[in-house]
């Protein structure tokens, strides 16, 4: 069996892959892994989003991959550069869990669901359909997206392997 | 990212001492709880890229037992008490009659709440010694436990740093219990705004 090439996506990071290479990001908790895919060109992009909105950014040089509202437009731009057509792109996403539940509940405890909501709004604004998602709940996920097949594999400690 | 434009080395030393005193008290509490000696390593203080923080406990996908507490009060931050699964079982065997569950089996409610309470006691002694040292009010939230991938758990403690850059300052103290090698870490990740307050309270000049 041929080993496919793994392209790593770090936390608050994004990458583009094609030709059957597999995009992978590990340990998604409240973060969201969003993938965009052009099935004709067989080219995929993945972003590991940490926070819902760049409005709260106080950093000098904005890291677009970190925020849902900036990551999705930037990922589309990079895919366009690689030859993908925005009109053909389809999305899948996973993550956005609430790792810890508190009786009190601060803003931070809802960060996972807020990341998911914000990512969906950004996809909607770009007119990209969300084909499938595995979001929410209270467990971590590691995800891999195959740029050859468009299959998104999600692994978790409790539930093993799942494909969407 | 430069967190401390002035006197960076000195400030890191001060934070190392903060970790030393806090974790020292927590290790003493753990030793009393287990009725066994507990050794503690010298704390490390480092500004690390988000990616590398989970490497401290075996990597992003390593399954760990983590008790998380939000620190409220004058100098807020995030605190984790992180142990390996084997260490968690050893701790439980020492504390619960009837022993712990088999490897691979799920933790019972009783076991999870025991671990959570251990984390609570240790974090409480860490923070109360810091409070005594600095005169600052620091109060732990209700503890919360998760058994999951280290990356998924720790990213939760990095959100406050997330708006500032792609690194976080981590005060890490590891400890060992006897030859049985129960191995764990205390992570204290103060919010970026808390450093000036900590330094001021300890008499370190702040620009």
């Amino acid at each position: 069996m041929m080993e496919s090439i793994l392209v790593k996506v770090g936390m608050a990071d994004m990458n583009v892959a094609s030709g059957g290479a597999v995009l992978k990001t590990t340990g998604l908790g409240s973060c969201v892994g969003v993938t965009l895919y052009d099935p004709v060109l067989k080219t995929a992009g993945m972003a590991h989003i940490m926070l819902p909105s760049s409005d709260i950014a106080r950093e000098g040089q904005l890291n677009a991959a970190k925020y849902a509202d900036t990551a999705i437009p930037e990922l589309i731009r990079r895919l366009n550069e690689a030859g993908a057509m925005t009109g053909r792109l389809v999305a899948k996403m996973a993550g956005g869990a609430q790792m810890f539940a508190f009786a009190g509940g601060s803003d931070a405890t809802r960060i996972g669901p807020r990341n998911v909501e914000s990512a969906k709004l950004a996809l909607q604004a770009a007119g990209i359909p969300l084909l499938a998602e595995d979001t929410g709940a209270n467990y971590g996920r590691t995800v891999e997206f195959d740029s050859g097949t468009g299959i998104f594999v999600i692994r978790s400690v409790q539930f093993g392997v799942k494909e969407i | 990212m430069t967190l401390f434009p002035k006197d960076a080395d000195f400030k890191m030393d001060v934070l190392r001492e903060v970790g030393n005193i806090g974790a020292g008290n927590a290790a003493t509490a753990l030793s009393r709880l287990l009725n066994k000696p507990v050794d503690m390593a010298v704390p490390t203080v480092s500004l690390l890229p988000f990616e590398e923080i989970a490497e401290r406990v075996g990597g992003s996908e390593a399954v760990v037992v983590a008790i998380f507490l939000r620190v409220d009060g004058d100098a807020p931050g995030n605190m984790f008490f992180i142990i390996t699964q084997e260490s968690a079982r050893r701790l439980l065997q020492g504390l619960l009659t009837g022993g712990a569950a088999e490897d691979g089996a799920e933790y019972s409610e009783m076991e999870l709440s025991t671990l959570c309470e251990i984390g609570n006691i240790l974090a409480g002694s860490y923070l109360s010694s810091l409070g005594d040292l600095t005169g600052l009010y620091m109060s732990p939230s209700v503890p919360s436990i998760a058994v999951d991938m280290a990356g998924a758990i720790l990213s939760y403690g990095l959100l406050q740093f997330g708006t500032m850059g792609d690194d976080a300052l981590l005060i890490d103290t590891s400890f060992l219990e006897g030859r049985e090698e129960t191995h764990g870490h205390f992570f204290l990740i103060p919010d970026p705004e808390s450093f000036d307050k900590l330094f001021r309270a300890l008499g370190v000049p702040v620009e």
Side-chain angles (χ1 to χ4, degrees), chain B residues 5-59:
Chain B
K6 274 175 70 184
D7 305 325
D9 288 347
F10 177 58
K11 285 177 177 166
M12 294 299 235
D13 277 343
V14 169
L15 293 174
R16 200 167 295 125
E17 191 51 26
V18 162
N20 211 2
I21 289 166
N25 273 274
T28 309
L30 182 60
S31 163
R32 271 200 216 114
L33 204 62
L34 298 172
N35 203 19
K36 283 176 189 163
V38 172
D39 287 330
M40 189 186 92
V42 178
T44 62
V45 177
S46 28
L47 191 62
L48 289 174
F50 294 155
E51 277 301 300
E52 285 174 27
I53 290 186
E55 299 300 324
R56 289 292 177 93
V57 290

Side-chain angles (χ1 to χ4, degrees), chain A residues 68-81:
Chain A
D69 63 330
T70 50
I72 287 165
E74 173 64 14
L75 193 57
I76 295 169
R77 198 189 59 77
R78 292 222 203 155
L79 282 163
N80 287 340
E81 266 180 14

Side-chain angles (χ1 to χ4, degrees), chain A:
Chain A
M1 208 180 101
M2 218 174 72
E3 273 295 296
S4 43
I5 298 161
L6 265 190
V7 179
K8 194 172 151 49
V9 178
M11 191 187 284
D13 182 21
M14 63 170 66
N15 243 321
V16 169
S18 58
V22 173
L23 288 157
K24 178 177 184 176
T25 196
T26 58
L28 288 168
S30 57
C31 299
V32 179
V34 177
T35 62
L36 300 181
Y37 185 52
D38 180 338
V40 177
L41 198 67
K42 297 204 183 301
T43 296
M46 181 188 281
H48 183 141
I49 294 166
M50 196 176 169
L51 293 164
S53 164
S54 59
D55 291 347
I56 52 169
R58 289 173 293 162
E59 48 192 323
Q61 185 145 30
L62 190 84
N63 172 3
K66 198 188 299 174
Y67 307 95
D69 63 330
T70 50
I72 287 165
E74 173 64 14
L75 193 57
I76 295 169
R77 198 189 59 77
R78 292 222 203 155
L79 282 163
N80 287 340
E81 266 180 14
M85 276 173 60
T86 310
R88 289 199 301 241
L89 291 178
V90 288
K92 291 182 180 178
M93 68 164 95
Q98 260 180 286
M99 297 302 293
F100 297 101
F102 287 113
S106 68
D107 225 21
T109 58
R110 262 193 43 78
I111 198 81
R114 280 168 57 212
N115 280 337
V116 173
E117 283 160 29
S118 182
K120 283 182 182 169
L121 283 178
L123 287 173
Q124 222 169 44
I128 296 172
L130 179 64
L131 293 190
E133 63 176 303
D134 178 39
T135 55
N138 63 347
Y139 55 88
R141 297 166 171 93
T142 282
V143 297
E144 290 182 15
F145 190 89
D146 187 323
S147 66
T149 61
I151 292 173
F152 196 26
V153 179
I154 298 143
R155 260 186 308 214
S156 62
V157 175
Q158 297 173 51
F159 301 106
V161 181
K162 178 176 169 180
E163 282 183 8
I164 61 172

Side-chain angles (χ1 to χ4, degrees), chain B residues 90-107:
Chain B
R90 267 192 214 108
L91 277 179
L92 289 171
Q93 273 158 6
L95 287 169
L96 288 181
T97 48
E102 293 296 305
D103 265 3
E106 291 215 7
Y107 293 89

